[in-house]
Amino acid sequence: MKSIFLESGHIKLYKRENSQYWQMKIKLPKQRAIRSSTGSKILKEAKKIALKNYSSFGISNRIKKTSKNIYKKIHLVETADLNKKEIEFILDEAKKFINFNKKRVKKSNLLEGRTVFNLFFEDSTRTRTSFEVAAKRLGADLINVAVKDSSINKGETLLDTMTTINSMNPDVLIVRHPEEGISKRISNNVDACVINAGDGSHEHPTQALLDALTIKNRFNNFSKLQIAICGDILHSRVARSNIIILSKLGAKVNVIGPKQWLPKNINKLPVEVYTDMKKGLKNCDIVMMLRIQKERIVGKIMPNQKTYFNKYGLDYNKLKYAKKNAFVMHPGPMNRGFEIDSKLADDITRSLIQEQVAMGVAIRMACLDILIKNRDNVLSY
Ligand code: CP
């Protein structure tokens, strides 16, 4: 039998001893092979026919598109899973959606026919709605599961709920839940892509990515930046994800907070630790304030609001400890007058808080697009 290969081996042309016609086999990784006769006895003609078939299936385009993705995983559950190149790739992909989101008509068919589930077992405004906006702008169908009315209340386990929804062939499950590590567990039990939208005090990867995109818009180069993350570090998933992402991008990170709100293992993280705002804010380009996570401070004494604000609340006076034109960030929701002065939070010459919300939509559009494309690459339809 004579045979030749084209397109990195994806096309095989072969002629059996008992046949005069060239046969073709088109095969992609993890996809069923397509076999048929080219209907030609002449190799040159058979090559042309095979290549035409190959591209008419949209296969060559699809390979080029999918192989472009530097982040190749189908889940986004932990920042530990991301390296610097992958983070930069997601930020660059998100940048493409920033101008799109400013258009009068914001509608694309990039994810048409795809199904995305929002599964929020904890309160949310920004994350839930921005995933909904992101999915809808890309043409996907988004289902907000009313968790409070779900069969979880009848005793169904969370994993049973997830596998039930998985049987409806969704493309993405977006999960917020108070249990640490739950998104990772779910991702091991379903076919759909899983995005961690916040798991207890553990991680909130898309928040850290949107924060990085907000910073990149202003400074571009992270390696020269010093960023302070201040307040309730212990209970904050936003702090943990930001420490990992920002340090991987090359920024120097200071954490500042009262001793009782610094995690025991803080020295194992790539940060400098301070309990004094004046010292910790010195030379900082960005001051990222954290919400006091009242819902996680159970059985412990909450600090008095005025006492806390005097020591750790950010106002114009404390901001002077940082660089002259330092910017202020906050993931929201804010406790005005507790961790941040209300006027400073609304000062658009210093505060990037509203820009963070806008970048949240762009980042979530990029994440949905990247993960769904990656999943297409490992499944055949
Ligand atoms: N930053 C953040 O996660 O906000 P929500 O709790 O409103 O989603």
Side-chain angles (χ1 to χ4, degrees):
M1 187 171 78
K2 289 183 198 162
S3 63
I4 64 154
F5 292 89
L6 305 170
E7 296 292 311
S8 315
H10 294 303
I11 303 174
K12 180 182 175 186
L13 281 170
Y14 57 99
K15 198 193 251 186
R16 293 198 180 92
E17 256 118 53
N18 58 357
S19 171
Q20 296 184 323
Y21 292 94
W22 283 97
Q23 310 290 314
M24 62 183 170
K25 178 182 163 191
I26 302 177
K27 172 80 180 95
L28 281 172
K30 309 210 171 153
Q31 293 201 33
R32 209 170 282 162
I34 302 158
R35 293 169 206 264
S36 78
S37 170
T38 63
S40 175
K41 297 176 188 172
I42 304 157
L43 179 58
K44 201 171 160 190
E45 217 173 81
K47 275 185 190 171
K48 266 191 195 164
I49 292 163
L51 286 168
K52 201 171 164 195
N53 270 275
Y54 179 71
S55 53
S56 71
F57 287 122
I59 289 168
S60 54
N61 282 344
R62 194 159 141 185
I63 285 180
K64 275 177 202 144
K65 261 189 193 167
T66 49
S67 61
K68 234 177 45 176
N69 279 0
I70 289 169
Y71 183 71
K72 296 196 187 298
K73 298 182 183 88
I74 66 162
H75 306 296
L76 179 58
V77 292
E78 282 181 347
T79 52
D81 291 339
L82 294 161
N83 63 34
K84 186 180 178 194
K85 277 206 168 123
E86 291 169 329
I87 297 165
E88 285 171 342
F89 167 71
I90 297 172
L91 300 185
D92 287 344
E93 289 297 298
K95 267 191 151 184
K96 296 176 192 166
F97 293 112
I98 296 174
N99 283 337
F100 174 90
N101 285 333
K102 290 179 186 158
K103 285 185 179 175
R104 193 169 58 85
V105 178
K106 300 170 258 299
K107 196 76 185 169
S108 149
N109 61 1
L110 208 57
L111 299 184
E112 195 173 54
R114 306 313 182 104
T115 314
V116 178
F117 277 79
N118 254 346
L119 294 142
F120 279 65
F121 296 83
E122 257 189 8
D123 296 342
S124 169
T125 302
R126 278 145 286 268
T127 314
R128 189 179 58 75
T129 51
S130 66
F131 267 116
E132 183 163 357
V133 170
K136 288 183 172 169
R137 284 190 183 163
L138 294 176
D141 299 310
L142 182 123
I143 291 101
N144 273 309
V145 177
V147 173
K148 285 194 178 100
D149 306 330
S150 74
S151 291
I152 293 252
N153 297 331
K154 298 180 194 162
E156 184 172 71
T157 68
L158 181 64
L159 279 180
D160 279 343
T161 303
M162 293 299 160
T163 46
T164 301
I165 290 171
N166 186 59
S167 302
M168 299 175 199
N169 297 315
D171 293 279
V172 187
L173 305 179
I174 298 158
V175 184
R176 171 170 287 191
H177 196 278
E179 191 180 323
E180 295 185 14
I182 193 71
S183 291
K184 189 152 196 145
R185 275 179 58 211
I186 293 167
S187 73
N188 292 330
N189 285 280
V190 297
D191 305 316
C193 306
V194 175
I195 299 180
N196 176 5
D199 58 338
S201 305
H202 181 227
E203 282 249 27
H204 193 351
T206 58
Q207 176 69 44
L209 287 165
L210 76 87
D211 290 337
L213 184 60
T214 308
I215 296 169
K216 193 177 163 79
N217 288 343
R218 299 283 167 160
F219 294 96
N220 202 32
N221 190 350
F222 285 83
S223 65
K224 293 192 174 83
L225 290 183
Q226 193 161 311
I227 298 168
I229 304 178
C230 317
D232 179 8
I233 313 285
L234 178 66
H235 305 101
S236 174
R237 54 196 175 208
V238 174
R240 192 177 307 273
S241 293
N242 260 300
I243 289 168
I244 298 169
I245 293 269
L246 294 172
S247 57
K248 281 185 180 179
L249 287 170
K252 183 175 176 297
V253 180
N254 292 353
V255 295
I256 314 166
K259 219 171 179 175
Q260 73 272 22
W261 285 351
L262 293 170
K264 282 199 177 74
N265 66 350
I266 191 74
N267 289 320
K268 291 193 179 133
L269 296 172
V271 292
E272 294 240 351
V273 184
Y274 297 88
T275 52
D276 182 283
M277 288 288 269
K278 189 172 182 179
K279 287 180 186 157
L281 291 181
K282 197 172 169 208
N283 288 327
C284 283
D285 304 276
I286 302 272
V287 185
M288 191 182 285
M289 299 309 296
L290 298 172
R291 181 174 71 86
I292 294 162
Q293 317 272 308
K294 289 176 190 162
E295 72 279 17
R296 299 201 186 100
I297 305 172
V298 185
K300 291 177 197 154
I301 300 163
M302 274 288 288
N304 169 278
Q305 180 166 338
K306 198 161 174 267
T307 314
Y308 182 84
F309 186 80
N310 284 342
K311 208 161 175 199
Y312 292 104
L314 189 68
D315 56 12
Y316 284 99
N317 282 334
K318 289 198 196 74
L319 189 58
K320 284 183 192 149
Y321 301 143
K323 273 193 184 162
K324 193 167 168 249
N325 295 315
F327 288 110
V328 177
M329 295 175 72
H330 192 303
M334 285 182 279
N335 293 309
R336 288 172 184 265
F338 209 144
E339 71 260 359
I340 190 163
D341 170 58
S342 196
K343 203 168 160 217
L344 178 58
D346 295 334
D347 178 352
I348 54 165
T349 65
R350 308 303 298 271
S351 164
L352 303 180
I353 295 169
Q354 295 312 317
E355 195 172 322
Q356 286 173 267
V357 178
M359 293 310 109
V361 178
I363 278 290
R364 281 150 188 152
M365 288 169 91
C367 290
L368 290 173
D369 183 38
I370 293 166
L371 296 186
I372 288 177
K373 275 186 190 144
N374 290 348
R375 186 168 169 268
D376 283 352
N377 206 25
V378 294
L379 293 176
S380 59
Y381 294 97

